[in-house]
Structures are given as structure tokens and as C-alpha cells.
């Protein structure tokens, strides 16, 4: 059973006044900052300048843009607002690399990010180094009171960058999958093996349970407040749905059986001509899948990946089951009942992405981070093979539209317990 590790981007509590080592917080900030920033560059390192420009659909972004946007985040919200005298690297970058922060000013259209042949990848590298040097100097020269005050902002920025690290992999895989020669991101990459060793179902008796983030460790605002919910009786599959199970669904006409599908989902599946998960293709009568290592034969025992909510819901109906709610998933995961809950695929739930009771968005521009997206999307739980180490926790709420399937998304089933 996999469990989330402690967040690599989580900082220790700021030292109290008079702490015997007043430089500790500065060193912790520098270490955490550079570790996350380095990981972004590691993930981008196999890619050429041409690779870094591709934007294969409006929902994806070029790697170069991810590298620049995460840098702009620190320049805009940390250096620009808290470091007196800071001079931005370039006056146009705030427009080019803002994403959706309306409060921070106008921005380049999301679906046109691949138009930005300039600045080039090397200039983005220079931009990152410029901002990194300024941030490290700021940490090393600011007094303890300032560092204690901005530490939570830094933590948000680092976790924000870790989200984009995952997107670097999902977006480049989608881009490479459009190329007829199917290039590999990393020939040595392998789908992570399942670590589960228990079959069957985990039963949750009817009861009142507490879900949501309940302490002061790092979390995004959409994970709070902790609150009580009624769950059960229900049982959740301990294991993720596999490729072999999905092949049986396909062979039984699952993609053409309208009675299994939500109306909107069946319309999307027909329009997009879905006959299999994203990246699957038949080669000489055998199913293969485009991966970060290139085209590979389907492993029947591996968890199915790159399916939409619509597909997951149809599969569940075909199985005579349903998808769990996010509340059920969290209760079972907290109890250690779920195999491969983290680190392989995000798992669709049938819960709408909406605010928890008592939710309040943060003040200022960072209040746009999550709250304004709480409509028309579904929650996924867990984490995936692309999630950076340490960026997982049992309360984490990922969210995508029901037709999205370019993420590393899969499912586990639920059933009524009687």
C-alpha cells in the first residue's frame, strides 16, 4: 500500500523570537526553494528548444511557458510585493506569463502560448536564474520577521511549481503523441509497478466521519475547513481498475453502448471517436500505448490510465458498480484500506468540485487560485506517477472537466454495502 510522503515543498514552522539559530529559517527557505526549482529544470532537461514550444491543444501549455510562468509567480507575488527595489527581468513578461490572475493584470491568451517563439528557451533559462538569484539573496538578507511573514507565500509558490512539474510531463506526452514518429521523452521510463498485495473490497460502515485538512501543515485553501460528513454503508475496491478489465469493457462494446453513458459523455465519445483510452492504438492486432518511453505494448496487469470521467463512469455502470465519492475515498484512504492510492494514477470520484462548508478564498490575487474554478468539474483523489515526490496527501483535491483525459487519470470502483 502506498502512502503520501511529507511534502518536499513544506517548510518547518518559523522559529520563535530569540531562537538560538536565527539563520535557520533563511537556510530552510533557500534549500526548499532551490530543490523545487531544480526539479523543474530536471524535468525539462530531456527536451529540445523545439520540444519546449509545442502546445498540442488549448488545455496544454508549452514546457517553456511552464518554466516561465512559475518564475513569474515568484517575481510577481514575492519579489514584486515584498522585496524593495527589485527590478523585473523584462517588462513584457508579466503579460506573457501570467495565467489566470485577473487581479495581477492582463495576460496573453492561453490557447496562443505556442505563438511565443520569443523569448527562446535559453532566455527563459536566464530569466529563471535571474529570479532565483534575487530570491536567494532576499532570503539571505531579510530579517527574521519578514521571512516568517512571507514563508507561507513561498510555500504556496513551491507547491504551485510542483503542480506545473506534473503538467510538464502530461503536456509533453500529449504533444509527442501527435507526432507520427512517436518520440520518447525518456527511453528508460517505466510505468510504476503496483505495490498492492490485497484484493477484494474495503467496507465502510455507516457513520459520521471527519474529512478535510485539519492542522497547520501545508494545504491548498480548497482542502479546508475540516468538517463532518455522513458516509456509508459502502465498499471500495482495494485495487485500481486494470488494463485487462478495460479491454473486457471494450470487447463487450462498452464504447458503443449508449445505456452505459451519461448523455453528454456519449456525445463527446461519439464526436471524438473514442474507442479506447487516450494514447491506445492497435498495431498488428495488438493494443499498444504511447508512454513517456515511446510506444509500448499494453500491460494487462497495469492500472488503466488516461481515461475521462465519462469513460470511468461508463465502465463503472458496465461493472454494475459506481465511482466512489471523494468523501468515501478519503475515509478509506485515511484508514489505509486502499492499495495504490498514491503515485500511479489520479482516481476519478463522482463528487462535483465545490467548496466545503465554511470555505473562504484567500485575500488578494492568490484568492483566485482555486475558488473560482469550483463549478462544472469533478474531483480526483490520490496522486499520479507524474506527481513530484512529496506532493501528495490524503486531503488533496485535484479537479478536471469530465471530458479531460490527458492527465494520468484512472479509477477504482465502489459498491453499495448491504
Amino acid at each position: 500500500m502506498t502512502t503520501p510522503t511529507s511534502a518536499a515543498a513544506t517548510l518547518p514552522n518559523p522559529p520563535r523570537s530569540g531562537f538560538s539559530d536565527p539563520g535557520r529559517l533563511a537556510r530552510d527557505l533557500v534549500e526548499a526553494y532551490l530543490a523545487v526549482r531544480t526539479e523543474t529544470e530536471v524535468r525539462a532537461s530531456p527536451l529540445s528548444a523545439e520540444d519546449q514550444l509545442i502546445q498540442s491543444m488549448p488545455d496544454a501549455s508549452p514546457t517553456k511557458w511552464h518554466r516561465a510562468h512559475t518564475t513569474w509567480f515568484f517575481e510577481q507575488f514575492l519579489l514584486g510585493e515584498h522585496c524593495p527595489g527589485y527590478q523585473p527581468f523584462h517588462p513584457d513578461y508579466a503579460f506573457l506569463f501570467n495565467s489566470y490572475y485577473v487581479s495581477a493584470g492582463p495576460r496573453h491568451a492561453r490557447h496562443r502560448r505556442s505563438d511565443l517563439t520569443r523569448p527562446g528557451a535559453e532566455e527563459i533559462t536566464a530569466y529563471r536564474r535571474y529570479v532565483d538569484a534575487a530570491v536567494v539573496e532576499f532570503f539571505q538578507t531579510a530579517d527574521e520577521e519578514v521571512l516568517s511573514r512571507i514563508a507561507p507565500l513561498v510555500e504556496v509558490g513551491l507547491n504551485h511549481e510542483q503542480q506545473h512539474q506534473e503538467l510538464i510531463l502530461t503536456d509533453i506526452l500529449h504533444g509527442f503523441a501527435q507526432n507520427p514518429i512517436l518520440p520518447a521523452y525518456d527511453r528508460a521510463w517505466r510505468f510504476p509497478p503496483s505495490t498492492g498485495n490485497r484484493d477484494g473490497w474495503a467496507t465502510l460502515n455507516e457513520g459520521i466521519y471527519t474529512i478535510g485538512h485539519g492542522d497547520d501543515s501545508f494545504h491548498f485553501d480548497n482542502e479546508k475547513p475540516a468538517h463532518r460528513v455522513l458516509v456509508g454503508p459502502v465498499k471500495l475496491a482495494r485495487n485500481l481498475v486494470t488494463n485487462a478489465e478495460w479491454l473486457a469493457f471494450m470487447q463487450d462494446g462498452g464504447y458503443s453502448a449508449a445505456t452505459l453513458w451519461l448523455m453528454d459523455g456519449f456525445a463527446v465519445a461519439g464526436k471524438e471517436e473514442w474507442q479506447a483510452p487516450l494514447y491506445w492504438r492497435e498495431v498488428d492486432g495488438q493494443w499498444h500505448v504511447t508512454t513517456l518511453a515511446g510506444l509500448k505494448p499494453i500491460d494487462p496487469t497495469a492500472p488503466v490510465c488516461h481515461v475521462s470521467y465519462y469513460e470511468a463512469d461508463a465502465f463503472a455502470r458496465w461493472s454494475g458498480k459506481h465511482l466512489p465519492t471523494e468523501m468515501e475515498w478519503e475515509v478509506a484512504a485515511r484508514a489505509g484500506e486502499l492499495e495504490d492510492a498514491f503515485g500511479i494514477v489520479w482516481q476519478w470520484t463522482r463528487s462535483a468540485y465545490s467548496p466545503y462548508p465554511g470555505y473562504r478564498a484567500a485575500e488578494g490575487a492568490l484568492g483566485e487560485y482555486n475558488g473560482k474554478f469550483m463549478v462544472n468539474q469533478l474531483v480526483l483523489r490520490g496522486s499520479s506517477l507524474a506527481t513530484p515526490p512529496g506532493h501528495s496527501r490524503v486531503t488533496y483535491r485535484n479537479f478536471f472537466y469530465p471530458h479531460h483525459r490527458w492527465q494520468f487519470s484512472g479509477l477504482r470502483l465502489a459498491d453499495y454495502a448491504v
Side-chain angles (χ1 to χ4, degrees), residues 133-416:
V135 169
V136 169
E137 181 180 10
F138 177 43
F139 291 159
Q140 292 174 336
T141 56
D143 63 40
E144 186 177 313
E145 187 278 329
V146 171
L147 294 180
S148 296
R149 178 161 41 84
I150 58 93
L153 171 62
V154 175
E155 202 164 34
V156 171
L158 295 179
N159 280 271
H160 164 260
E161 182 145 348
Q162 287 180 314
Q163 291 179 314
H164 281 270
Q165 289 168 359
E166 180 155 359
L167 291 171
I168 285 173
L169 297 188
T170 59
D171 292 0
I172 198 63
L173 175 60
H174 190 273
F176 281 178
Q178 314 314 308
N179 190 322
I181 66 171
L182 298 177
Y185 167 82
D186 177 5
R187 291 290 179 189
W189 180 88
R190 295 293 180 270
F191 196 90
S194 172
T195 59
N197 55 18
R198 296 177 297 173
D199 293 324
W201 300 81
T203 299
L204 303 179
N205 295 322
E206 181 176 329
I208 303 295
Y209 299 85
T210 297
I211 70 162
H213 205 87
D215 59 41
D216 293 331
S217 61
F218 179 79
H219 57 280
F220 289 115
D221 61 7
N222 63 0
E223 300 171 53
K224 269 197 167 183
H227 59 287
R228 297 190 301 168
V229 295
L230 174 64
V231 170
V234 68
K235 57 184 182 179
L236 276 66
R238 295 189 189 277
N239 295 321
L240 300 168
V241 170
T242 66
N243 288 327
E245 294 171 298
W246 201 271
L247 282 165
F249 168 71
M250 292 163 54
Q251 291 163 0
D252 196 39
Y255 276 91
S256 58
T259 55
L260 298 176
W261 291 74
L262 295 168
M263 184 175 179
D264 286 351
F266 196 65
V268 171
K271 179 181 178 181
E272 301 296 329
E273 300 182 343
W274 291 352
Q275 296 296 324
L278 185 64
Y279 307 138
W280 283 33
R281 63 174 64 192
E282 275 193 291
V283 179
D284 298 327
Q286 299 295 320
W287 283 103
H288 289 64
V289 59
T290 302
T291 73
L292 291 168
L295 191 66
K296 298 292 181 182
I298 291 293
D299 177 359
T301 66
V304 71
C305 190
H306 300 300
V307 294
S308 67
Y309 174 82
Y310 290 139
E311 292 165 285
D313 181 73
F315 178 91
R317 293 171 192 268
W318 173 80
S319 302
K321 308 294 190 293
H322 56 265
L323 298 178
T325 66
E326 67 166 319
M327 293 77 77
E328 293 163 353
W329 188 99
E330 183 171 327
V331 171
R334 282 183 183 276
E337 298 287 349
L338 304 182
E339 302 297 322
D340 299 321
F342 303 92
I344 296 185
V345 292
W346 289 100
Q347 295 132 67
W348 285 107
T349 75
R350 57 175 174 168
S351 294
Y353 180 53
S354 60
Y356 283 164
Y359 169 79
R360 292 291 185 271
E363 297 292 332
L366 290 183
E368 301 184 57
Y369 200 105
N370 284 305
K372 70 181 185 180
F373 298 107
M374 291 178 172
V375 64
N376 299 333
Q377 304 195 62
L378 280 298
V379 174
L380 301 94
R381 289 303 198 103
S383 62
S384 84
L385 58 91
T387 307
H391 193 69
S392 305
R393 55 188 169 272
V394 76
T395 59
Y396 199 114
R397 306 175 75 201
N398 204 351
F399 52 94
F400 284 97
Y401 290 101
H403 68 280
H404 280 157
R405 58 184 194 156
W406 93 106
Q407 295 300 306
F408 293 96
S409 52
L411 69 152
R412 70 177 70 241
L413 298 176
D415 197 8
Y416 297 109

Side-chain angles (χ1 to χ4, degrees), residues 79-101:
L79 297 173
E81 296 184 10
H82 299 278
C83 183
Y86 174 76
Q87 295 296 315
F89 181 81
H90 195 288
D92 292 334
Y93 280 16
F95 175 79
L96 295 180
F97 301 124
N98 183 357
S99 54
Y100 52 73
Y101 297 94

